[in-house]
Amino acid sequence: MTKGYIVNNITVKDEAGYANCRVTAAKTLEDAAGTFLVRGGRHEVIEGQSYERIIICEFESYEAAHAASAAVRALGDLRGDSAVANIVVVEGV
């Protein structure tokens, strides 16, 4: 079975407002049996545009990642205007 991933591209506009979302997101991932593979850190855009933070979470399967995506979408309400995000679920190879 191939792994599933949730790829988050985020630009934070208000660090204080985003702080609670960050803590809740870590708990949400733990509850869904996901693992952070990438959580921010250094990156370089070599073509196109990017957000300031890239977060990649791994799950045992695409179905598990997709199931966790409902909880991830709920974080959007918590995030509010403190950040903009582009979040996708993808199947591994």
Side-chain angles (χ1 to χ4, degrees):
M1 181 180 305
T2 60
K3 302 276 186 172
Y5 301 89
I6 296 179
V7 180
N8 306 266
N9 295 289
I10 299 172
T11 295
V12 176
K13 299 187 301 185
D14 172 16
E15 285 289 341
Y18 185 70
N20 190 37
C21 183
R22 183 181 304 116
V23 171
T24 304
K27 177 69 173 134
T28 298
L29 182 65
E30 179 183 322
D31 291 347
T35 303
F36 284 112
L37 296 181
V38 175
R39 190 172 188 189
R42 186 169 54 165
H43 72 279
E44 177 182 347
V45 178
I46 58 171
E47 184 174 337
Q49 299 177 1
S50 179
Y51 292 73
E52 69 180 31
R53 296 181 189 183
I54 298 171
I55 302 165
I56 301 174
C57 307
E58 180 182 63
F59 296 84
E60 285 302 311
S61 66
Y62 176 82
E63 291 75 20
H66 194 270
S69 71
V72 172
R73 277 188 299 246
L75 292 172
D77 292 335
L78 183 59
R79 188 174 52 248
D81 293 333
S82 66
V84 294
N86 182 33
I87 301 171
V88 299
V89 179
V90 62
E91 185 174 37
V93 296

